[in-house]
Amino acid sequence: MINWTFSRFPESPPLRTTQLLERFFSIAEIEENQKYKIPKRQSEWLASRLLAKRLVQKIIASDSPLPLKSITIQKESSGVPFVVVEGMGRVGWLSISHTRGGVLAAFSQINSIRFGVDIEFIDPRPLEIFADYFTVAEIAWLSTLDEQEKDVCSNLVWSAKEAFLKAIEKGLQMDTRKINIHPPDVCSQSKGWNAIDFSVEGNRLLDWQLLFSLNHDYMMTICLPAVQKSQLIELELTSAFD
Ligand SMILES: CC(C)(COP(=O)(O)OP(=O)(O)OC[C@H]1O[C@@H](n2cnc3c(N)ncnc32)[C@H](O)[C@@H]1OP(=O)(O)O)[C@@H](O)C(=O)NCCC(=O)NCCS
């Protein structure tokens, strides 16, 4: 089972940041936080870590809720996040994404599972800025869409690529043009998660699936093992800084 959650957060860190850090974060996490000097980045870091800790706290079974301070979010040198719980060591698999006041986090307690999430704020962006990242086929079908569909679909393409790259733990070390996103039927999408047709280096992958969901002004995507869709569960948590 994969649990996911979405939350909004203000673009500046809250006035009580010091108290939140002292109450809920380890010394190593506080040191990581202090590396960030830009308020927007500090806010993203704080919101994503608090949300991820709350998600893990909800999922890990214990007699009483684990203190948030005992759950730490750490990072591989590649940037891949992972969860360490005091007394349990490294647990499960975590994926995080944050953008423009929105954060998406997903966690599974199963150690062997891999997945990646991404969230994009649906901004109008000219297709030219994607020329180095999208395939010729993607640019071609996006160019046929009206302005509103183009904004939704270009964010979907970018987000889906990032979710896939996070699931395979590569991040932007891999050329995003190796992944080709096929035109989705955004108009007939249902509420919740919808499938995205895609191929990697010309092959349709049997092991992975990509899904998208439109959440107000945000495009959310997840790349997960092909067999997992029915076990994708939303958890509603308090907003990040509450
Ligand atoms: C992974 C990547 C696609 C992230 O996309 P983004 O749109 O910039 O940012 P998102 O908010 O969607 O995701 C960021 C989160 O992805 C996760 N992440 C970073 N690298 C990752 C990877 N290789 N695989 C999976 N997840 C990764 C982290 O949790 C990160 O959150 P944090 O920056 O607060 O720690 C891309 O920016 C990248 O490759 N980053 C790696 C940079 C890095 O850390 N390099 C370190 C070695 S040089």
Side-chain angles (χ1 to χ4, degrees), residues 17 21 28-37 42 45-46:
T17 295
L21 287 172
E29 286 175 312
I30 295 173
E31 281 172 6
E32 192 196 335
N33 168 271
Q34 282 163 354
K35 286 188 204 149
Y36 299 114
K37 306 296 175 207
Q42 289 170 341
W45 185 93
L46 192 62

Side-chain angles (χ1 to χ4, degrees), residues 72-237:
T72 60
I73 314 298
Q74 304 182 23
K75 274 199 308 197
E76 301 279 11
S77 56
S78 60
V80 177
F82 62 92
V83 179
V84 174
V85 177
E86 228 169 76
M88 294 174 77
R90 193 165 166 160
V91 288
W93 181 259
L94 171 72
S95 187
I96 297 173
S97 183
H98 36 67
T99 187
R100 292 273 296 274
V103 56
L104 175 64
F107 176 74
S108 173
Q109 227 178 320
I110 304 166
N111 283 318
S112 56
I113 199 171
R114 296 286 176 272
F115 51 85
V117 298
D118 191 77
I119 183 167
E120 300 293 330
F121 185 82
I122 302 178
D123 254 342
R125 303 189 222 189
L127 280 182
E128 294 74 59
I129 66 166
F130 294 119
D132 292 336
Y133 303 98
F134 286 8
T135 64
V136 173
E138 287 163 345
I139 298 280
W141 68 259
L142 286 165
S143 310
T144 64
L145 303 177
D146 67 34
E147 282 305 303
Q148 203 186 349
E149 280 179 331
K150 184 176 68 55
D151 295 339
V152 171
C153 289
S154 54
N155 280 287
L156 182 153
V157 170
W158 179 243
S159 184
K161 286 174 192 270
E162 290 210 331
F164 176 76
L165 292 171
K166 288 179 184 177
I168 63 166
E169 300 174 58
K170 290 258 190 244
L172 291 178
Q173 292 160 44
M174 183 172 146
D175 185 343
T176 52
R177 291 166 300 183
K178 288 190 172 169
I179 310 154
N180 190 42
I181 307 297
H182 302 206
D185 194 353
V186 174
C187 297
S188 66
Q189 62 157 327
S190 60
K191 205 169 174 293
W193 295 99
N194 295 266
I196 303 171
D197 192 14
F198 74 109
S199 51
V200 179
E201 298 191 87
N203 301 309
R204 286 183 196 251
L205 302 187
L206 297 178
D207 297 346
W208 294 105
Q209 60 180 324
L210 269 169
L211 307 173
F212 77 94
S213 177
L214 261 172
N215 187 338
H216 305 288
D217 296 329
Y218 295 94
M219 172 59 68
M220 308 195 301
T221 56
I222 181 162
C223 178
L224 70 166
V227 291
Q228 288 283 332
K229 182 173 178 183
S230 56
Q231 294 176 316
L232 199 52
I233 313 276
E234 179 177 9
L235 279 187
E236 285 192 29
L237 302 175

